[in-house]
């Protein structure tokens, strides 16, 4: 295990895992509390369109997928607030269109390659310096969102009262959606498109079982998210199995233990 940590690609993977684990589990608290789990899944699938567009244009997929997915996230919010379309319907429409676009672009490019496969299922071997830099920049933006954590919490528990109190709920929601979209894309290399929604939901769901306040839930979720990422990546390396799936299995095990602990306390 010590030998694994000394390898440059594992150092990048572990650092990326820590950053992604913190960001997803922090934002996941609000995803869970606002019952937006489908949003994470929808944005993960929508990211395929951005990845495919980057591959089709011969550009860095991450550089295209981040703004592409942020636009999709903001589009979902716009449809929900400006039309009679419900949020889950807007997610279903836009992520379906994005996936269809991605499939068409990959077919036109002839790029059903290992690169596309990596984004679908995740791989610690695929985490490069550019991915780490993107994760670090996004981590700074997520940290900056702590300045509006109180407003997010207020709107989470009583949206109508927050709006009556002149909190700019809609603008804060746009910031939240944009950050979730960007984090989902950055997490693709670590856990893969098909599983990335789970790292948003499982640590926060586990934390909800063990906490009494939103602040406690946030701290516990971040802790469990980082432990799940590190444990999953190291275990995947040791067993030579897919990192994304292993991370989710480890976090699933943590959820089961949290459920048992909560039942023993009650």
């Amino acid at each position: 295990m010590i030998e694994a940590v000394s390898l440059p690609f594992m150092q990048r993977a572990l650092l990326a895992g820590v950053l992604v684990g913190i960001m997803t589990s922090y934002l996941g608290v609000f995803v869970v509390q606002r019952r937006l789990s489908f949003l994470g899944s929808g944005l993960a699938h929508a990211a395929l369109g951005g990845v495919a567009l980057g591959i089709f244009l011969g550009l860095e997929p991450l550089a295209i997928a981040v703004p592409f997915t942020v636009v999709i996230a903001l589009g979902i919010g716009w449809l929900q607030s400006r039309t009679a379309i419900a949020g889950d319907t807007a997610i279903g429409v836009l992520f379906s269109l994005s996936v269809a676009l991605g499939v068409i672009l990959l077919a036109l490019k002839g790029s059903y390659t290992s690169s596309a496969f990596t984004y679908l299922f995740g791989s610690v071997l695929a985490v490069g310096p550019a991915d780490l830099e993107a994760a670090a920049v996004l981590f700074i933006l997520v940290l900056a969102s702590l300045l509006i954590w109180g407003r997010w919490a207020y709107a989470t528990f009583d949206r109508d009262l927050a709006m009556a109190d002149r909190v700019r709920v809609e603008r804060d929601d746009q910031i939240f959606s944009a950050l979730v979209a960007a984090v989902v894309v950055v997490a693709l290399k670590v856990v893969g498109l098909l599983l990335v929604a789970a790292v948003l939901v499982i640590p926060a769901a586990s934390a909800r079982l063990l906490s009494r306040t939103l602040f406690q839930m946030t701290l516990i979720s971040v802790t469990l998210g980082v432990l799940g990422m590190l444990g999953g990546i190291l275990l995947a390396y040791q067993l030579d199995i897919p990192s994304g799936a292993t991370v989710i299995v480890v976090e699933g095990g943590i959820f089961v233990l949290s459920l048992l602990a909560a039942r023993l306390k009650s």
Side-chain angles (χ1 to χ4, degrees), residues 42 45-50 52-53 68 72 76 79 85 89-105:
H45 285 77
L48 176 63
L53 182 59
F68 181 91
I72 293 294
I76 290 169
L79 285 173
I85 297 175
T89 303
I91 294 169
V93 169
L94 291 182
F95 100 63
S96 299
L97 289 174
S98 299
V99 170
L101 174 65
V103 171
I104 290 172
L105 290 175

Side-chain angles (χ1 to χ4, degrees), residues 72-159:
I72 293 294
L74 296 178
I76 290 169
W78 185 87
L79 285 173
Q80 186 176 4
S81 62
R82 297 287 190 271
T83 71
I85 297 175
D88 58 343
T89 303
I91 294 169
V93 169
L94 291 182
F95 100 63
S96 299
L97 289 174
S98 299
V99 170
L101 174 65
V103 171
I104 290 172
L105 290 175
L106 289 175
L108 290 174
K109 186 72 172 180
S111 295
Y112 291 108
T113 63
S114 59
S115 176
F117 187 86
T118 294
Y119 283 102
L120 287 174
F121 298 102
S123 172
V124 292
L125 294 173
V127 177
D131 301 308
L132 198 54
E133 291 171 6
V137 170
L138 186 55
F139 181 72
I140 293 171
L141 294 177
V142 172
L143 280 181
S145 74
L146 289 171
L147 296 173
I148 59 174
W149 185 90
R151 299 207 302 266
W152 279 353
Y154 192 180
T156 297
F157 285 111
D158 198 327
R159 183 181 179 86

Side-chain angles (χ1 to χ4, degrees), residues 196-230:
V196 69
V199 296
L200 279 170
V201 174
I202 296 178
S206 301
R208 186 174 183 179
L209 295 169
L210 302 173
S211 56
R212 295 183 178 180
T213 68
L214 190 66
F215 181 70
Q216 285 182 349
M217 182 177 172
T218 302
L219 292 179
I220 294 173
S221 178
V222 169
T223 301
L224 297 181
V226 172
L227 289 176
M229 277 287 181
L230 292 177

Side-chain angles (χ1 to χ4, degrees), residues 12-54:
R12 289 195 300 268
L14 291 171
L15 183 53
V18 169
L19 294 177
V20 168
I22 292 173
M23 292 187 290
T24 54
S25 54
Y26 166 67
L27 295 174
V29 169
F30 295 100
V31 169
V32 168
Q33 288 297 99
R34 296 183 181 191
R35 299 181 180 180
L36 294 174
S37 300
F38 187 45
L39 175 65
S41 179
L43 291 176
H45 285 77
L48 176 63
V51 169
L53 182 59

